[in-house]
Amino acid sequence: MKKVSIWISTMRLRTLPLSISGIILASCFAEYNGCFDWLIFTLAILTTLSFQILSNLANDYGDGIKGTDNNDRIGPDRAIQTGKISPDEMFNAIKLSVLISIGLAFFLIFASFGVKYFFLTLLFFLLGIASIAAAIRYTVGNNAYGYKGFGDVYVFVFFGLVSVIGCYVLYAKKIDHVVFLPAITIGLLSAAVLNLNNMRDIESDKKSNKLTLAVKIGIDNAKKYHVAIIVLAIILSGLFGILYFTSILNLIYFIAYIPLIIHIKKVLKCNDSKLLDPELKKVALTTVLLSVLMGIGHLL
């Protein structure tokens, strides 16, 4: 039982809600346009969770064997870092996670497109492979892009654009203009969560030569960048509310702006990167809240 609890902890369950926020939002748009399907929704959630768990395991492995996870790290302890799980055990878990992700992705694509939409089937198979590769290559390997400052791009694309737009296409078999602004919004807020993580770990990452964007541009510029992407997310989501307004209830997600504005003030005043860890969790939960309320508001 102790080993099971260690593996559950290694999967970092607290990161999972953020990963499915785009799925929930796209599903609400699908329901509004009359193309929602419970089987696709269930498989999309499971597939997304499998990708996120794979990413978490790969990050633990990549940072662990490179020594990036050490006593200087501020965030939660990692499994390889503490010696609770060996690198070989983690590598085997990654291989199993890849197989599960491939299986779930296959069933999701077949449930959505069957044999009728060949081009979309091929496109989403390639997208699935790209998602798996991106999840692993974030920290694993000599050319891990998370060590070169490209993690923000990965999060924006996969947590925002792919999650929202891709999921909607699974339902509707086509792209709808209604999903673009929400997809960009979720992508920006997800990138903000990663930036908080990178600002929190900036000193330990410097020592480990992990060149995140925060390390490259410095803490002061990282704060400015952080404020910019959150403000842009607020502006674009607000624009979405104006362009697709049918009822005052559509704008219920504006409630999520309050914790975001409070968060911006705290980040600008913060002089100790160690104090950013609680803010990371708040922004992640606020992103989930915004996505759920935006989706529900569109249905009202």
Side-chain angles (χ1 to χ4, degrees):
M1 288 300 296
K2 184 178 180 181
K3 197 71 171 181
V4 171
S5 65
I6 292 173
W7 279 110
I8 292 175
S9 175
T10 304
M11 293 178 187
R12 295 163 59 196
L13 301 185
R14 71 172 187 163
T15 67
L16 302 186
L18 179 63
S19 68
I20 64 172
S21 58
I23 305 300
I24 294 172
L25 184 54
S27 299
C28 289
F29 292 142
E31 172 64 22
Y32 180 83
N33 289 325
C35 55
F36 177 79
D37 183 286
W38 276 106
L39 178 59
I40 293 175
F41 174 74
T42 302
L43 289 172
I45 291 288
L46 292 175
T47 302
T48 301
L49 291 177
S50 73
F51 286 157
Q52 183 60 51
I53 291 172
L54 170 61
S55 178
N56 292 342
L57 296 176
N59 289 348
D60 197 307
Y61 179 79
D63 286 339
I65 62 175
K66 292 176 181 177
T68 305
D69 289 338
N70 50 51
N71 293 332
D72 294 325
R73 189 173 182 272
I74 299 171
D77 289 337
R78 298 281 187 85
I80 292 179
Q81 171 193 358
T82 58
K84 294 177 180 178
I85 295 176
S86 70
D88 286 342
E89 288 177 313
M90 187 65 73
F91 188 70
N92 288 331
I94 290 171
K95 289 190 288 185
L96 177 60
S97 186
V98 168
L99 292 176
I100 293 173
S101 296
I102 291 174
L104 287 170
F106 173 82
F107 285 118
L108 171 61
I109 294 168
F110 184 78
S112 178
F113 304 128
V115 295
K116 185 178 180 181
Y117 300 91
F118 175 77
F119 175 75
L120 287 175
T121 297
L122 179 60
L123 176 62
F124 272 77
F125 267 123
L126 294 175
L127 193 59
I129 293 172
S131 298
I132 292 172
I136 296 174
R137 296 294 294 176
Y138 182 70
T139 60
V140 176
N142 295 328
N143 294 312
Y145 60 88
Y147 280 69
K148 296 185 177 182
F150 294 112
D152 299 61
V153 176
Y154 158 77
V155 167
F156 175 77
V157 171
F158 285 95
F159 278 66
L161 304 186
V162 173
S163 181
V164 180
I165 299 174
C167 183
Y168 183 82
V169 173
L170 287 169
Y171 290 114
K173 291 26 173 208
K174 62 180 181 180
I175 296 178
D176 192 315
H177 54 81
V178 73
V179 300
F180 284 102
L181 288 175
I184 295 172
T185 297
I186 300 303
L188 289 171
L189 291 176
S190 298
V193 173
L194 177 63
N195 187 56
L196 276 169
N197 182 86
N198 292 338
M199 285 195 292
R200 180 198 67 191
D201 296 337
I202 190 168
E203 294 303 325
S204 60
D205 285 343
K206 282 181 183 178
K207 294 178 182 178
S208 303
N209 201 34
K210 185 177 183 179
L211 302 179
T212 63
L213 183 61
V215 171
K216 283 188 171 184
I217 65 178
I219 189 65
D220 290 336
N221 286 327
K223 286 183 179 181
K224 294 176 183 177
Y225 160 71
H226 189 75
V227 172
I229 58 178
I230 289 182
V231 170
L232 183 58
I234 291 174
I235 292 172
L236 293 179
S237 60
L239 180 60
F240 169 80
I242 295 171
L243 292 176
Y244 297 94
F245 180 86
T246 58
S247 164
I248 192 65
L249 293 176
N250 298 156
L251 308 180
I252 189 175
Y253 64 90
F254 279 22
I255 295 172
Y257 294 165
I258 298 173
L260 288 176
I261 292 171
I262 294 173
H263 164 74
I264 287 174
K265 293 180 179 179
K266 288 185 177 180
V267 169
L268 290 175
K269 291 180 180 179
C270 182
N271 294 317
D272 186 351
S273 60
K274 296 178 182 178
L275 301 177
L276 292 174
D277 191 57
E279 294 302 308
L280 189 156
K281 303 167 189 174
K282 292 176 184 177
V283 175
L285 290 175
T286 301
T287 302
V288 177
L289 175 65
L290 186 145
S291 64
V292 171
L293 292 182
M294 181 182 283
I296 293 175
H298 196 68
L299 293 172
L300 298 177

